[in-house]
Amino acid sequence: MDKPNILLVEDEIHLARGICFNLEQEGCRVSHVETGEAALERLFYDRFALIILDVMLPGMDGFTLCKSVRESDSRVPILMLTARSEEGDRVTGLASGADDYLTKPFSLNEFLLRVKGMLRRSSWYLPEPVEEGYRFGENEVYLLSYRARTAQGEIDLTDLEVRMLTLLFQKEGAAVSRSELLERVWGYSTEVETRTLDNFIVRFRKYFESDPTNPSFFQTVRGVGYRFSRRALDKD
Ligand code: CA
């Protein structure tokens, strides 16, 4: 089997060496670059199963790099590394198209669990989309073409957004647990707990709800997870 090809964008040499060593021990091939500019150049010639990128880089920062990657590739999994733990950074990271993030310093075990989940996911086929033009409220979601029409205009969806919407649409009306979402959308084992999932729901509410703070379609099921309902049902 081919070794998964990973692109690491990290300017801290000691950390980068450690990451490369450990990923190679896990049977991966790692290309390491120190700047966003060098990353874009590599991405022009090579395909990767996963991109791991640091937010704080000399020159182009990780957010800008991430957005730029997403303009041409909505599918490649992106794991962001951030030195800051502020909520704002996490939201900016995910809004720029990252699939997940880890705050430095992180444990090797936690890091490898995320990487393995993301690599597993990148080798999956997309779940069968339920239909083209899935309508609810003023929205129409096109899962096959990664686009949606909303009250605010047309938007592009990322691979993870499409996966998550596919699962929620398929289970319309039923509560989908956090662990099922993390396992089937992110490819994570039950050992991984991340609030990234909740940021994706916040994003969906911003895209699709007329009042994101009082959602009708993307409902929270307390203690369980989330439920999608096409009709605005009574809330819990
Ligand atoms: Ca850095």
Side-chain angles (χ1 to χ4, degrees):
M1 215 165 58
D2 279 353
K3 288 183 174 184
N5 212 7
I6 297 177
L7 179 63
L8 171 66
V9 191
E10 170 62 78
D11 61 315
E12 287 164 52
I13 298 304
H14 288 292
L15 180 62
R17 279 199 191 126
I19 288 177
C20 288
F21 175 80
N22 283 290
L23 290 176
E24 279 157 11
Q25 293 288 303
E26 297 289 327
C28 302
R29 194 183 313 124
V30 189
S31 299
H32 171 226
V33 293
E34 291 172 40
T35 65
E37 289 81 355
L40 286 177
E41 206 179 306
R42 289 304 299 266
L43 284 161
F44 188 78
Y45 297 104
D46 279 323
R47 289 194 63 79
F48 294 93
L50 171 66
I51 301 173
I52 301 168
L53 64 91
D54 184 31
V55 171
M56 301 285 283
L57 294 167
M60 177 190 291
D61 68 35
F63 299 133
T64 310
L65 172 61
C66 191
K67 261 186 226 153
S68 175
V69 172
R70 280 289 175 249
E71 276 166 22
S72 59
D73 189 341
S74 62
R75 298 209 174 186
V76 62
I78 299 177
L79 175 62
M80 215 172 240
L81 306 178
T82 164
R84 297 171 288 184
S85 57
E86 283 96 40
E87 174 72 9
D89 267 16
R90 177 168 73 168
V91 172
T92 310
L94 296 174
S96 63
D99 298 311
D100 204 354
Y101 68 93
L102 268 180
T103 305
K104 294 178 187 174
F106 45 80
S107 77
L108 178 62
N109 186 46
E110 180 68 14
F111 173 76
L112 291 175
L113 281 173
R114 304 277 176 115
V115 167
K116 282 177 193 165
M118 292 180 114
L119 287 175
R120 198 176 313 129
R121 181 166 67 74
S122 77
S123 67
W124 288 350
Y125 289 107
L126 264 183
E128 199 61 41
V130 276
E131 62 179 89
E132 270 279 342
Y134 202 93
R135 285 166 193 255
F136 55 98
E138 291 176 71
N139 310 292
E140 205 161 350
V141 177
Y142 301 90
L143 294 168
L144 289 174
S145 51
Y146 288 71
R147 294 190 71 76
R149 201 171 290 139
T150 74
Q152 303 149 56
E154 284 216 13
I155 51 171
D156 288 313
L157 299 168
T158 68
D159 183 45
L160 264 186
E161 289 173 336
V162 167
R163 281 174 192 281
M164 194 156 167
L165 288 171
T166 302
L167 182 59
L168 289 169
F169 290 171
Q170 281 169 347
K171 299 203 145 198
E172 192 191 330
V176 186
S177 69
R178 297 179 59 82
S179 59
E180 181 172 1
L181 282 163
L182 286 173
E183 195 183 327
R184 293 185 53 186
V185 178
W186 272 265
Y188 287 163
S189 62
T190 47
E191 292 158 87
V192 176
E193 171 58 21
T194 167
R195 305 306 290 180
T196 302
L197 167 55
D198 310 283
N199 287 87
F200 272 75
I201 294 286
V202 168
R203 236 152 93 184
F204 289 160
R205 288 172 176 161
K206 279 191 195 137
Y207 294 162
F208 302 123
E209 303 272 3
S210 53
D211 179 5
T213 56
N214 190 23
S216 314
F217 306 115
F218 294 88
Q219 302 161 358
T220 299
V221 184
R222 225 174 273 279
V224 181
Y226 294 99
R227 173 175 54 218
F228 171 76
S229 173
R230 210 192 291 227
R231 279 175 297 279
L233 294 173
D234 290 339
K235 282 155 216 132
D236 289 328

